[in-house]
C-alpha cells in the first residue's frame, strides 16, 4: 500500500515539475526585464498635475511637463469679472521634487525597489513641483477694487430732551458691517493649480473680515447705559460719595477694541485716579531722635498710616456692576499702608538706656496715699 502511494506521488511530481520550474524561471525573467526597463524611468501611474510621466526618463518627463506649462502660461484666467494674465506672471517650475522622487524610488535594496514597483501598480503617485510665481501687481489691483473695510458697531447717545420717549430710545445703535478682502494666497494657489492641472475655480476668493466691535457687544453696552440712567452707580468711601452717571459711563465703555469686558481699562483707571486723589493719603514714618550727650529728645513726630485706593479691585467691581451682577452702591476698596516704623516701636528707635527716674517719699503723706 505504501509503495503504491509513493509511486503515485512520484508520477505527479514528474508530470508537474517542469511547468513549475518554467513558471519560476519566467517570473524571474519578467522581474529582471521590468527592473532593466524601469532602471532610468518613472514607475507606472506617476503624475505631475494632469501630466502622465509613467515610463518616461527624467529628461522626457521634464520636457513634457514644461510643454504643458508653457502652453498654459499663454492664457488669461477670469475670476468673476477680473482677469489674471499669466503671460506677465513670470512663472517658473522647480523640478527638484521630480529628481528627489526619482532618486528615492530607484535607490536602496532590490527588495525595496521591488516593493515600490509593486505598489506603483495599485497606488498612483502625485508629484507636486514648486512653482515660483509673481502676481503681486495684478492681485493688488484686484484687491483695490474689491476690498472693503469692516465697520464697528457704534452707540449714538442723544441728549435731546424728549419726555415722550423712553430712555432706551435716546441710545441708538449703528450695527456692525463685515468687511471683505481678496484672499491673495488662495488666488495664487488657484493659478498654480491651473498651471499644473489645467483646472481652476473661476470664483474670486474673498475673505470676510469681521469688525472688532460687533453689534452684540454694543447691545450689552446700551443695556448698561439704560440701567445706569435709571439708577446711577454710587461709589462710597467713609463720608464721601461719587455718582457714576450714564454720560460719564459712556466715556469709559470700550467701543473700539471689542474685548470681552465692557469697560476700557485705561479710561476707567484715569477716572478712578481722579477719585483716588481725594482718598489716597501718604504714610508718615515715625521720627524719634535722642541725644545721648544731653539726654534729651531732639526730634519727635508720631507715625501715621497711609491709605490707597485699590484700582484693580475697583475696576473689577465696576465691571461686575455694569453687567448687572452686583449692587449699584459700591464701597470702595481702600488698602491701608503701614509705616515702616510706628511710634510704639520704641525698641526699634535706638533707645537702650534709662532716660529719667523719679523718687517719692511717703513720709507725712495722707493715709490713702
Amino acid at each position: 500500500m505504501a509503495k503504491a502511494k509513493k509511486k503515485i506521488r512520484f508520477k505527479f511530481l514528474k508530470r508537474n515539475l517542469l511547468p513549475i520550474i518554467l513558471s519560476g524561471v519566467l517570473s524571474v525573467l519578467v522581474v529582471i526585464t521590468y527592473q532593466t526597463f524601469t532602471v532610468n524611468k518613472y514607475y507606472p501611474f506617476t503624475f505631475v498635475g494632469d501630466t502622465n510621466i509613467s515610463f518616461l526618463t527624467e529628461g522626457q518627463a521634464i520636457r513634457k511637463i514644461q510643454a504643458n506649462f508653457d502652453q498654459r502660461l499663454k492664457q488669461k484666467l477670469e475670476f468673476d469679472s477680473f482677469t489674471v494674465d499669466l503671460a506677465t506672471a513670470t512663472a517658473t517650475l522647480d523640478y527638484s521634487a521630480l529628481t528627489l522622487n526619482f532618486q528615492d524610488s530607484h535607490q536602496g535594496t532590490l527588495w525595496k525597489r521591488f516593493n515600490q514597483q509593486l505598489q506603483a501598480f495599485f497606488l498612483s503617485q502625485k508629484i507636486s513641483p514648486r512653482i515660483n510665481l509673481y502676481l503681486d501687481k495684478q492681485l493688488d489691483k484686484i484687491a483695490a477694487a474689491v476690498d472693503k473695510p469692516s465697520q464697528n458697531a457704534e452707540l449714538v447717545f442723544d441728549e435731546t430732551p424728549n419726555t415722550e420717549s423712553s430712555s432706551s430710545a435716546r441710545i441708538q445703535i449703528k450695527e456692525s458691517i463685515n468687511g471683505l478682502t481678496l484672499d491673495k494666497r488662495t488666488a495664487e494657489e488657484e493659478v498654480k493649480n491651473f498651471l499644473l492641472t489645467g483646472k481652476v475655480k473661476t470664483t474670486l476668493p474673498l475673505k470676510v473680515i469681521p469688525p472688532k466691535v460687533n453689534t452684540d457687544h454694543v447691545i450689552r453696552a446700551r443695556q448698561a447705559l439704560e440701567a445706569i440712567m435709571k439708577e446711577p452707580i454710587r461709589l462710597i468711601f467713609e463720608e464721601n460719595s461719587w455718582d457714576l452717571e450714564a454720560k460719564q459711563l459712556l466715556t469709559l465703555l470700550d467701543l473700539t477694541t471689542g474685548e470681552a469686558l465692557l469697560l476700557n481699562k485705561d479710561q476707567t483707571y484715569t477716572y478712578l485716579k481722579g477719585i483716588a486723589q481725594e482718598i489716597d493719603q501718604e504714610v508718615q514714618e515715625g521720627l524719634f531722635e535722642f541725644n545721648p550727650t544731653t539726654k534729651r529728645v531732639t526730634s519727635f513726630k508720631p507715625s501715621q498710616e497711609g491709605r490707597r485706593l485699590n484700582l484693580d479691585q475697583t475696576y473689577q467691581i465696576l465691571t461686575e456692576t455694569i453687567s448687572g451682577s452686583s449692587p449699584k452702591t459700591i464701597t470702595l476698596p481702600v488698602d491701608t499702608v503701614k509705616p515702616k516704623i510706628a511710634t510704639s516701636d520704641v525698641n526699634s528707635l535706638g533707645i537702650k538706656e534709662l532716660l529719667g527716674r523719679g523718687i517719692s517719699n511717703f513720709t507725712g503723706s495722707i493715709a490713702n496715699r
Side-chain angles (χ1 to χ4, degrees):
M1 186 69 177
K3 289 182 178 181
K5 289 183 178 180
K6 288 182 180 180
K7 190 174 182 180
I8 293 172
R9 283 199 298 268
F10 178 75
K11 287 182 179 181
F12 176 80
L13 290 173
K14 185 177 179 180
R15 185 169 57 250
N16 295 282
L17 182 59
L18 183 59
I20 293 173
I21 293 173
L22 289 176
S23 297
V25 171
L26 182 61
S27 298
V28 172
L29 288 174
V30 168
V31 171
I32 293 174
T33 303
Y34 184 76
Q35 290 280 345
T36 303
F37 178 72
T38 59
V39 68
N40 63 342
K41 298 180 178 66
Y42 287 97
Y43 295 143
F45 305 109
T46 302
F47 294 84
V48 175
D50 66 337
T51 305
N52 189 345
I53 61 171
S54 303
F55 301 122
L56 297 181
T57 64
E58 190 173 357
Q60 291 171 337
I62 289 175
R63 286 192 292 274
K64 185 176 181 180
I65 296 165
Q66 190 65 51
N68 291 337
F69 189 79
D70 291 341
Q71 184 64 32
R72 288 164 183 162
L73 276 177
K74 299 175 183 179
Q75 300 185 39
K76 296 180 179 180
L77 299 181
E78 296 292 333
F79 292 97
D80 292 335
S81 59
F82 299 95
T83 302
V84 174
D85 187 358
L86 299 183
T88 62
T90 60
T92 58
L93 268 172
D94 182 352
Y95 289 103
S96 58
L98 274 79
T99 302
L100 183 63
N101 176 275
F102 185 87
Q103 291 176 348
D104 184 63
S105 61
H106 287 71
Q107 291 179 355
T109 63
L110 178 63
W111 172 251
K112 178 185 175 183
R113 296 199 305 274
F114 177 74
N115 188 45
Q116 290 180 327
Q117 292 164 358
L118 190 62
Q119 289 180 5
F121 284 102
F122 302 98
L123 300 172
S124 62
Q125 274 199 80
K126 298 284 187 180
I127 304 175
S128 299
R130 187 176 65 184
I131 298 177
N132 300 311
L133 190 67
Y134 181 75
L135 288 173
D136 290 357
K137 288 185 178 180
Q138 295 189 68
L139 295 182
D140 287 345
K141 185 177 179 180
I142 296 173
V146 301
D147 284 5
K148 294 180 180 179
S150 60
Q151 295 182 22
N152 289 335
E154 297 179 10
L155 274 181
V156 180
F157 193 79
D158 182 12
E159 291 186 295
T160 303
N162 188 348
T163 55
E164 298 180 358
S165 300
S166 63
S167 60
S168 60
R170 297 176 60 192
I171 306 173
Q172 305 298 326
I173 292 179
K174 184 178 179 180
E175 293 194 358
S176 60
I177 301 175
N178 288 332
L180 286 177
T181 185
L182 175 65
D183 189 344
K184 294 182 180 180
R185 182 175 179 180
T186 300
E188 284 188 359
E189 291 302 319
E190 285 295 333
V191 173
K192 291 178 181 178
N193 183 65
F194 170 77
L195 291 173
L196 286 179
T197 67
K199 299 177 182 178
V200 64
K201 295 178 181 179
T202 58
T203 303
L204 192 67
L206 299 174
K207 288 193 298 186
V208 175
I209 307 299
K212 290 183 178 180
V213 183
N214 58 37
T215 302
D216 289 343
H217 183 86
V218 173
I219 288 175
R220 290 171 54 213
R222 183 176 70 174
Q223 291 171 345
L225 286 169
E226 290 173 347
I228 206 174
M229 289 174 71
K230 296 176 182 177
E231 181 185 357
I233 296 174
R234 174 157 292 186
L235 310 175
I236 296 175
F237 175 71
E238 294 181 348
E239 301 299 324
N240 300 317
S241 65
W242 300 263
D243 287 342
L244 177 58
E245 297 181 343
K247 186 176 180 180
Q248 178 66 62
L249 178 61
L250 183 62
T251 67
L252 306 183
L253 291 174
D254 182 359
L255 300 176
T256 56
T257 66
E259 295 180 356
L261 297 178
L262 285 177
L263 288 178
N264 179 288
K265 199 165 189 177
D266 292 337
Q267 292 292 99
T268 305
Y269 273 51
T270 300
Y271 169 73
L272 293 177
K273 285 176 182 177
I275 296 176
Q277 290 179 354
E278 303 180 47
I279 296 176
D280 290 358
Q281 180 176 290
E282 292 295 328
V283 65
Q284 293 185 14
E285 300 294 341
L287 177 63
F288 194 104
E289 293 182 357
F290 175 73
N291 189 326
T293 302
T294 61
K295 309 233 182 252
R296 290 180 178 275
V297 175
T298 58
S299 298
F300 175 77
K301 184 173 70 174
S303 63
Q304 182 177 330
E305 292 180 342
R307 64 191 183 203
R308 185 176 296 116
L309 177 63
N310 190 319
L311 297 178
D312 293 335
Q313 194 173 346
T314 305
Y315 173 79
Q316 183 62 37
I317 295 172
L318 271 177
T319 298
E320 294 171 357
T321 300
I322 66 170
S323 67
S325 58
S326 295
K328 290 293 190 293
T329 300
I330 300 172
T331 300
L332 291 172
V334 177
D335 298 330
T336 299
V337 183
K338 297 287 185 180
K340 295 179 180 178
I341 302 176
T343 306
S344 58
D345 296 335
V346 177
N347 290 337
S348 65
L349 299 178
I351 302 174
K352 302 178 181 178
E353 56 189 280
L354 180 64
L355 299 182
R357 180 174 61 185
I359 301 174
S360 178
N361 193 321
F362 291 95
T363 304
S365 296
I366 60 177
N368 60 355
R369 184 184 177 193

